[in-house]
Each structure stands twice: as C-alpha cells, then as structure tokens.
Amino acid sequence: MSSRDWVAHAIARIEADFHRSADTHLIPVNLPAFPGIDFYLKDESSHPTGSLKHRLARSLFLYALCNGKLHEKSTVIEASSGSTAVSEAYFARLLGLPFIAVMPATTSPEKISAIEFYGGRCHLVPDPTQIYAESERLALETDGHFMDQFTYAERATDWRSNNNIAESIFHQMEREPHPIPSWVVTSPGTGGTTATIGRYVRYQRHATQVLCVDPQYSVFYDYYVNRNPAITLDCGSGIEGIGRPRVEASFIPEVVDEMLKVPDALSLAAMHYLASVLGRRVGGSTGTNLVGALHIALRMKQQGQTGSIVGILCDGGERYVHSYYNDEWLATRGLDLAPLIEQVKTCAEQAVPLSPLQSARHDKPQYF
C-alpha cells in the first residue's frame, strides 16, 4: 500500500467511526432559584472515550493526516493531563499506530489505565511545565509526530459547521423555550472549544455571549486581562483537564465575552453538588462550569432577565474516584468541602450569592 493510499484508508476508518457514533445529550438541570432561566449541560462524557476530548482527538488526527504529518509507521506523541491522551490512544489504536502520552506524574490512575487499555504508553513527568519539551524530545527520538493539542486545537476543528460542539448545541436547543442561549459557559484546557464556540456564534450572528471560566492555577484569566503572552506559572492546575501554566496558542481571547477565576475548592464543591443533583458523578471541570453558570444566572436574575445558559459536562467522575471523590485525598490537601457545597446549594436553590469571584469583561477586572 502506498503512503497516499494508507492516508486515504486511515481517514476512511476515522470517518466510519464517526458515523457509528451518536451525538451527545443535552441535559436540562433544574436550578430552583432561577425561574425563567434555563440551564443545560452538554454531556460530552457519552463519547466512546468518555470526554469532550474525543471530538478534539478526531479533529487532530484528521488534521495531521491531511497535512501529511502521519504515515503508517508513525509514533504518535501527545502532551496531555489525561483525557486528550485517552481519546488519542483510541484513534491511534484504530489506525494501528503506537501512542505515547506525556503526562504530569499527578494524573489520575484511572486515566492512565484508560490510556493503557487502548494500547497507549504513559510517560510521566514530575514537572508538569516540562511536558511540552519532553514530548518534542520523544518525537525526535522515535521519529514520531507530536500532535501538540495546545497549538492545533483551534485550527484543527471546523468551527463553521461539520457537527462541531457549537453546531450540535444550537441544533439541540431549537425546541427549547429559549432556543438561542444567552450564554455558553466553557473552561479552557487548550482553549480550542472556547474558540470554536466563540467563532461559531459570531459566524451565525447569534447574540449569545461566551463566558470562559479559568481554574485557580492557570494563566488564561491573567492573559485575558493584560494580554501578556509571556506569563507563566511554576505549577500545574489543580483541576485536571483545564487550566495551563503558560498561554497556549489555541486560546483566542478576542472571542471571549467575559472570564471568571474560580478557586479549586469551589469548583470541587460545585462538582459534588451537581453529582447529587444528577445522580451520577462528574469531573472537576464540570464543577468549574457550574460556578460560571451560577455567576451568570445571579446577574440575569438581578437584572430581571430570562433566557438559557448552556455549560459543558466535560467528563464523568469515575476518573476521579481516588482523588476528588476520596475524603482522605481531600483531607490530606486541607480541603473541607462541606461548607462550600452548602454555599453552592444555597446559591442554586435560594439565589444566595457565592463568595466574590474575580471577573473580567473587555479587559476591565470586576468583582461580584
């Protein structure tokens, strides 16, 4: 088989896999304190590999194939805190390619097991800021291809249509009381999903605004405020899957209408509250998104507005049984979530405001 024939065969296999997959659900979530304000979660945990990153991995593989970066003997390398690596391992196995995930040593064992289940190998790095350099080194060493999700996420996805997450959300909202969401709430890992949604609403000329919610240990919020691309942190995010120690190329601040900075403990408290409401566990980034949705719902109620808010359920909580849902793990980190869970509950059910959160809109920091 020629190289060109192999690429055609690989693309056909990925497209066939896509046609075997159904769309993800849009779940209504009742927030009792906010009548007239409808909240929905786009449940990306129902993808074959269990997270939002399944969409990204498919796009990255197609992008690499069509740009001539992958061939039948390629080793695929990715820098990832877990979910993207799980999804890329799935697609690498589909194409018969070896896969190496370069990950922070703190990545959950459940994610490591999932990568290994799909035939991938995990290369753990003690310093999370070094996963990029180590990925590049391994790519050179193996004559492989570094997928580099943090650079290519925003350009690998067709943001105009092609069943991207934004098109899917708006299609599923068509028969709801408020079919055009007032807000879509995202949280940045690569920034690619935020870029896709922000571009799509502008392309479709919707009035929808985008709130991007950054976790505690991440640079995206500060970059949004001061536009300094050199800003860095010397630690990784406490919420797996979102937040970065450096500004990533896929984060496009110009398509974000507002940003919010959320303490990790509040994200985890919101995750626990939401799990009790849904009757199943969700990941920490979904808790971050719920805090963002409550922030917007409070403002809308104060201003007498009605409408809809859509957030993203990024992945399920089964990947965090040993950590976010483990009392001993939380205690060793000094995290007492009980009062914060109650705070989230009273906000959702009685409209009692959350503790002040740092927010920025059009480069002007605010506090709510």
Side-chain angles (χ1 to χ4, degrees):
M1 183 184 294
S2 71
S3 176
R4 184 70 174 267
D5 288 339
W6 182 88
V7 169
H9 178 69
I11 292 171
R13 295 200 71 179
I14 292 175
E15 291 295 281
D17 179 81
F18 171 73
H19 282 283
R20 290 193 297 269
S21 302
D23 201 355
T24 60
H25 300 292
L26 190 67
I27 303 172
V29 180
N30 183 32
L31 300 179
F34 303 98
I37 301 174
D38 301 323
F39 177 49
Y40 304 82
L41 282 171
K42 181 65 167 162
D43 183 9
E44 295 292 282
S45 72
S46 57
H47 282 295
T49 53
S51 82
L52 167 68
K53 299 300 186 179
H54 192 84
R55 293 181 190 270
L56 173 59
R58 181 195 296 124
S59 295
L60 287 169
F61 267 82
L62 290 173
Y63 187 83
L65 286 164
C66 293
N67 279 280
K69 302 299 184 182
L70 286 180
H71 54 79
E72 60 185 323
K73 294 184 179 180
S74 295
T75 296
V76 180
I77 315 288
E78 184 60 283
S80 169
S81 63
S83 288
T84 302
V86 174
S87 299
E88 287 191 19
Y90 171 92
F91 284 104
R93 186 176 75 169
L94 186 70
L95 303 185
L97 301 177
F99 175 76
I100 302 174
V102 182
M103 312 163 72
T106 55
T107 301
S108 72
E110 290 85 1
K111 287 184 178 178
I112 292 172
S113 295
I115 292 165
E116 292 174 343
F117 172 80
Y118 290 118
R121 178 162 69 89
C122 298
H123 183 82
L124 301 181
V125 179
D127 182 356
T129 66
Q130 295 303 306
I131 61 173
Y132 319 95
E134 190 65 5
S135 296
E136 292 171 352
R137 185 189 69 79
L138 283 173
L140 286 172
E141 182 181 287
T142 63
D143 192 25
H145 173 60
F146 175 27
M147 296 289 269
D148 194 2
Q149 59 166 324
F150 300 107
T151 295
Y152 294 105
E154 57 88 11
R155 66 194 72 174
T157 301
D158 184 352
W159 48 267
R160 296 174 187 84
S161 58
N162 195 26
N163 195 40
N164 65 44
I165 189 171
E167 183 181 48
S168 177
I169 287 170
F170 279 83
H171 174 69
Q172 291 175 317
M173 286 291 294
E174 286 176 354
R175 300 190 183 186
E176 299 303 311
H178 305 285
I180 303 299
S182 300
W183 289 84
V184 175
V185 180
T186 70
S187 47
T190 62
T193 297
T194 303
T196 296
I197 293 171
R199 289 163 165 171
Y200 182 85
V201 297
R202 284 160 175 76
Y203 179 64
Q204 295 294 337
R205 302 177 299 282
H206 293 314
T208 303
Q209 297 185 77
V210 176
L211 173 69
C212 186
V213 191
D214 206 25
Q216 183 173 347
Y217 298 106
S218 177
V219 301
F220 290 125
Y221 177 87
D222 294 313
Y223 175 58
Y224 183 79
V225 172
N226 60 37
R227 295 299 200 272
N228 176 12
I231 186 171
T232 60
L233 291 176
D234 60 2
C235 64
S237 173
I239 304 298
E240 281 193 33
I242 60 172
R244 302 301 308 159
R246 71 176 194 183
V247 178
E248 304 294 353
S250 287
F251 179 69
I252 313 296
E254 290 80 7
V255 301
V256 174
D257 295 287
E258 182 172 342
M259 284 204 72
L260 192 68
K261 190 82 163 177
V262 176
D264 288 352
L266 187 57
S267 290
L268 298 181
M271 174 198 76
H272 278 270
Y273 171 74
L274 186 57
S276 71
V277 171
L278 295 178
R280 64 185 180 94
R281 290 170 171 171
V282 298
S285 57
T286 306
T288 309
N289 289 338
L290 176 61
V291 174
L294 290 172
H295 167 81
I296 291 298
L298 281 164
R299 183 193 303 163
M300 290 176 66
K301 181 168 184 172
Q302 291 166 0
Q303 296 176 354
Q305 299 174 353
T306 59
S308 58
I309 303 169
V310 177
I312 299 173
L313 195 164
C314 304
D315 61 0
E318 65 278 356
R319 293 177 174 175
Y320 310 100
V321 172
H322 86 291
S323 56
Y324 302 153
Y325 289 98
N326 184 302
D327 291 340
E328 183 177 344
W329 186 93
L330 293 170
T332 59
R333 287 156 179 78
L335 293 170
D336 179 12
L337 298 184
L340 289 174
I341 294 172
E342 184 62 26
Q343 185 182 140
V344 173
K345 178 177 178 171
T346 56
C347 179
E349 300 179 9
Q350 301 174 37
V352 176
L354 296 166
S355 298
L357 297 171
Q358 194 173 5
S359 173
R361 183 177 178 85
H362 303 310
D363 302 324
K364 296 178 181 178
Q366 304 165 19
Y367 295 87
F368 293 91

